[in-house]
Amino acid sequence: MNFRISSVLKIVGFLLVVLSVAMLPPVFVCMYHGEHHAAAGFGHAIWNVLIVGAALFLLFRHHGKKYRVRDGFLILAACWFFASLFGSLPYYYAGLVDNPVDAFFEAASGFSTTGATVFDDVEVIPNGVLLWRSMTSWLGGMGILVFAVALMPTLGINGTSVAEPDKPSVTINSFSPKTLRMVSGIIVGYAALTLLEIILLAIGGMGLFDSVIHSMGTVSTGGFSNYNDGILHFGGIYARVIILIFMLIVGTNFTMYYSFTRRGIRAFTEDSEFKAFWLIAVIAFAIVFCGLYFIDTGWTRPGEAANSAFQVVSILTTTGYVSDNFTAWPAFCQMILVLLMFIGGCSSSSSSGNKVVRFVVIFKLVFHGIQTRLHSNVIRPVKLNKKDVPNDTVSAVSNHMFLYIVMTFIGAFVMSLENIDLLDCFTSTLSLLGNVGPCFGSVGVHGYFGDFNYFTKAFMSFVMIAGRLELYTILVLFTPGFWRSE
């Protein structure tokens, strides 16, 4: 084997040490609220995670000076798997779940920023555990942003490699100063956005703890709440408007904010994905608003507009907050939401899903095919942002779309073993694969999966992580060629 598992384990060890430190704030919250049993559970979890992490890091600290592409795939998969595995310990040690599968599902949902849950009543969960639940999605969102900018383009598996077409590197030796500056800026910006939203929500009358939970859920597009009815718990429109604005911000490619400092507003106006993202949002909002407006919902016009805009953006950015029971909406309005689940947000954002940039390339490819048949002697390459997109990149986008559809059918088949409605099977799988959270049918708008059997929850945990890591990162590990020497 030309890649070294020991090098990957060193990184996993460091990750676990960081994870154990991240568990300290929930302990303080538990102690503050007198939740001693939960605090003790966190104590057990911290020691276990810290011991394993420190042992791995110290044992393999001299390994891994240079990394190959194979190492990169394994690093991404291992980080999210072990983060979910050890991040599940607080749920189990606190006695909130009866089995490790439920705990792993909840943690995988957090680190993948999905927002699905096995808890039917989150309001009885200790505050410290609720904070940890939101922190998993916040850490997962920041982690995917860092990897999306620093590592995924090198592997050729992220939407960024479509926007800036380059062949994957053979080795991962070091990152350019520009990449390091962008990563540093993204981390600072991510934290600053979270803090700003906390302040704005608190100013609007939301409690500090509630503001922290919902700000983490928004910026990470995880969508976790500490109330059973989520955003609906807060009356008025102020909180929804603030969350709506931040969902739009984090659903946009974060590297564009870096470009904005150098190119100004042209960084947005000349970007095909950004324009397509807003076009999709506006069209979807118009259709849903008209559908609800011409049906007697009992809402006022501002209410219809606010609920339509909020729900459309929440699903498109894969945040998953719910402003209304959309399962009672007209069928064509629900269909719009299903289509938005399939699309997702922009590349290099904290959103998940297929990514808007891939749909831009696919539509250009279809238009290119029509033009070729009308003018067979004219060769017109597919262009994105006035640059030619290489044929192998177009092929990779098409392959990803096909694989995404195949995974949706496989997941729906596994869900069908639960003998639930066929539509529920597909929409639930699409929601988990796209890391959205809310579903239709028996699962419901709050994404409750607690009643499914262990096999289904374990498989869907895999689906959530695979969807968050762009599918290929996980699936390539199951190919025999990956483990053979080159």
Side-chain angles (χ1 to χ4, degrees), residues 136-447:
T136 59
S137 68
W138 191 81
L139 292 170
M142 181 172 63
I144 204 66
L145 277 171
V146 170
F147 279 122
V149 173
L151 184 57
M152 285 182 171
T154 306
L155 305 179
I157 57 174
N158 185 48
T160 304
S161 59
V162 177
E164 300 290 340
D166 286 307
K167 291 184 180 296
S169 300
V170 177
T171 59
I172 310 169
N173 297 330
S174 61
F175 299 113
S176 67
K178 175 184 176 182
T179 299
L180 294 176
R181 286 195 301 270
M182 289 178 64
V183 168
S184 301
I186 283 174
I187 293 174
V188 172
Y190 189 83
L193 281 173
T194 307
L195 180 60
L196 178 60
E197 185 177 359
I198 291 173
I199 294 172
L200 292 176
L201 289 177
I203 290 175
M206 189 180 290
L208 178 60
F209 185 75
D210 295 343
S211 299
V212 171
I213 295 296
H214 291 90
S215 296
M216 285 184 172
T218 303
V219 175
S220 67
T221 68
F224 277 138
S225 175
N226 54 329
Y227 295 102
N228 292 328
D229 52 356
I231 297 300
L232 295 174
H233 181 83
F234 305 99
I237 199 174
Y238 177 83
R240 298 185 194 184
V241 171
I242 295 298
I243 292 174
L244 171 62
I245 293 172
F246 278 84
M247 286 192 296
L248 288 170
I249 292 173
V250 299
T252 302
N253 190 326
F254 268 65
T255 62
M256 292 180 60
Y257 299 121
Y258 175 80
S259 298
F260 176 76
T261 61
R262 297 179 294 111
R263 300 175 55 209
I265 195 64
R266 288 186 305 165
F268 296 96
T269 59
E270 296 179 356
D271 186 81
S272 299
E273 183 185 32
F274 178 78
K275 291 185 288 187
F277 173 74
W278 274 92
L279 181 63
I280 292 169
V282 170
I283 292 176
F285 161 71
I287 295 174
V288 171
F289 173 73
C290 290
L292 298 177
Y293 177 77
F294 289 108
I295 293 178
D296 185 15
T297 60
W299 293 336
T300 61
R301 291 183 182 179
E304 292 160 356
N307 279 282
S308 302
F310 187 95
Q311 202 59 71
V312 162
V313 174
S314 178
I315 298 298
L316 178 61
T317 60
T318 71
T319 306
Y321 280 134
V322 177
S323 61
D324 189 64
N325 180 18
F326 55 74
T327 60
W329 287 5
F332 69 93
C333 291
Q334 295 183 42
M335 191 63 201
I336 293 297
L337 298 184
V338 172
L339 293 174
L340 295 178
M341 286 182 182
F342 184 69
I343 296 172
C346 296
S347 59
S348 294
S349 69
S350 54
S351 299
S352 188
N354 257 314
K355 300 297 191 321
V356 174
V357 68
R358 291 194 175 100
F359 284 90
V360 174
V361 172
I362 288 295
F363 276 105
K364 286 179 177 289
L365 179 62
V366 171
F367 181 77
H368 173 267
I370 294 173
Q371 293 293 93
T372 300
R373 280 157 181 76
L374 292 176
H375 310 284
S376 57
N377 295 326
V378 178
I379 300 177
R380 294 180 180 176
V382 176
K383 290 182 176 292
L384 186 66
N385 297 335
K386 299 180 180 180
K387 297 179 181 178
D388 292 350
V389 180
N391 290 333
D392 57 349
T393 302
V394 175
S395 177
V397 170
S398 303
N399 291 340
H400 182 276
M401 286 290 190
F402 176 75
L403 182 60
Y404 202 94
I405 294 171
V406 169
M407 281 298 298
T408 301
F409 274 89
I410 293 175
F413 175 78
V414 173
M415 292 286 290
S416 70
L417 300 178
E418 296 277 357
N419 198 30
I420 62 176
D421 184 81
L422 187 62
L423 181 61
D424 293 356
C425 295
F426 278 98
T427 56
S428 298
T429 303
L430 199 59
S431 178
L432 294 182
L433 186 61
N435 307 124
V436 180
C439 303
F440 295 86
S442 59
V443 175
V445 296
H446 298 297

